[in-house]
Amino acid sequence: MSEKQSFIDVRLIPLAEKDNPDRAVLADLRRGLGEFPKIHPFMYRHIQFYLPRYAQHGWHQEAHYLTAALFAMHPYAMSDQEKDEEDQPKPWKNLGHHFAQIVRKEAQENRNVETIERRFIYLLAAHPNDLHFHLRQAISFLSSKDSEFKINWYRLLSDIQDWNDSDRRAKVQENWAKQFWRNQPTDNS
């Protein structure tokens, strides 16, 4: 298991379980979204111990804290059935895929989907310093449309980590765009 997977599986996923006795941890983590990229003091005690060695400072640390705060906002994780046979999450489930699902749903109900596309384009164009704002808006929007959609948190953490490097960010943007526009409804659907 990679360090990223361990962070998600060991620290975040247990917080979403119904029998978790300390649901207040999720509230503490959500507080972090209000001051990002500054790390809210309430978050340290819940996250710092679980950070991988490579994420003790800088952008990688921010990516883990941001992922934790977003997870607390929408703690629906992929089930074991949604992972492939190697116990890895399906790599194609990224935010482009999730936005495409909402567009399909809205199109079936004959609703205008242009604003969803525009929102997605703003997310794709986000500067690393503004990514937290756009991701918070995206997760909030997606959960308002489908309260039980399941984010591939492993993929999102990787994508956030890559967002600070222009070459890797371009690849993430391309992958999100592919999943968004390839899954659009056609006139025949």
Side-chain angles (χ1 to χ4, degrees):
M1 178 183 301
S2 76
E3 289 180 314
K4 287 179 197 173
Q5 286 177 301
S6 178
F7 175 74
I8 302 289
D9 288 341
V10 172
R11 183 60 194 141
L12 299 183
I13 301 295
L15 294 174
E17 294 173 359
K18 290 182 176 135
D19 60 349
N20 175 18
D22 195 7
R23 304 276 296 171
V25 173
L26 293 173
D28 284 347
L29 294 178
R30 280 190 300 272
R31 284 177 159 178
L33 288 170
E35 297 183 20
F36 224 82
K38 267 181 42 183
I39 296 173
H40 196 284
F42 284 95
M43 296 180 77
Y44 286 114
R45 69 184 180 138
H46 303 300
I47 299 300
Q48 193 63 42
F49 175 78
Y50 298 94
L51 287 179
R53 287 183 303 270
Y54 71 88
Q56 294 298 317
H57 61 286
W59 183 261
H60 289 289
Q61 180 184 26
E62 286 180 30
H64 280 75
Y65 276 90
L66 178 56
T67 302
L70 293 168
F71 180 88
M73 196 172 127
H74 186 78
Y76 288 93
M78 294 172 32
S79 68
D80 290 337
Q81 289 108 0
E82 293 170 298
K83 294 180 181 179
D84 67 18
E85 52 280 347
E86 296 159 14
D87 198 32
Q88 301 291 316
K90 295 177 182 174
W92 47 265
K93 280 199 166 192
N94 60 36
L95 284 183
H97 171 81
H98 296 306
F99 268 87
Q101 285 181 310
I102 299 301
V103 166
R104 272 198 172 299
K105 190 176 180 182
E106 296 287 309
Q108 287 173 347
E109 297 172 5
N110 294 321
R111 294 191 178 142
N112 186 342
V113 296
E114 289 177 21
T115 57
I116 299 171
E117 183 174 321
R118 191 175 17 228
R119 182 184 295 262
F120 181 71
I121 291 170
Y122 284 131
L123 174 61
L124 280 180
H127 186 275
N129 293 340
D130 300 326
L131 182 62
H132 67 280
F133 172 78
H134 291 283
L135 285 174
R136 181 180 65 205
Q137 297 297 322
I139 301 301
S140 180
F141 171 75
L142 291 169
S143 64
S144 76
K145 295 294 184 179
D146 181 1
S147 63
E148 293 189 16
F149 83 98
K150 296 182 173 79
I151 292 179
N152 181 341
W153 292 105
Y154 311 94
R155 175 83 266 140
L156 185 57
L157 175 56
S158 279
D159 291 348
I160 292 170
Q161 288 179 315
D162 289 347
W163 207 266
N164 201 38
D165 178 276
S166 60
D167 292 334
R168 293 194 316 249
R169 179 175 59 241
K171 188 64 177 167
V172 171
Q173 290 166 320
E174 179 184 346
N175 289 335
W176 288 8
K178 283 179 182 177
Q179 289 306 310
F180 181 74
W181 278 287
R182 281 187 183 165
N183 291 301
Q184 293 300 305
T186 62
D187 294 334
N188 299 332
S189 56

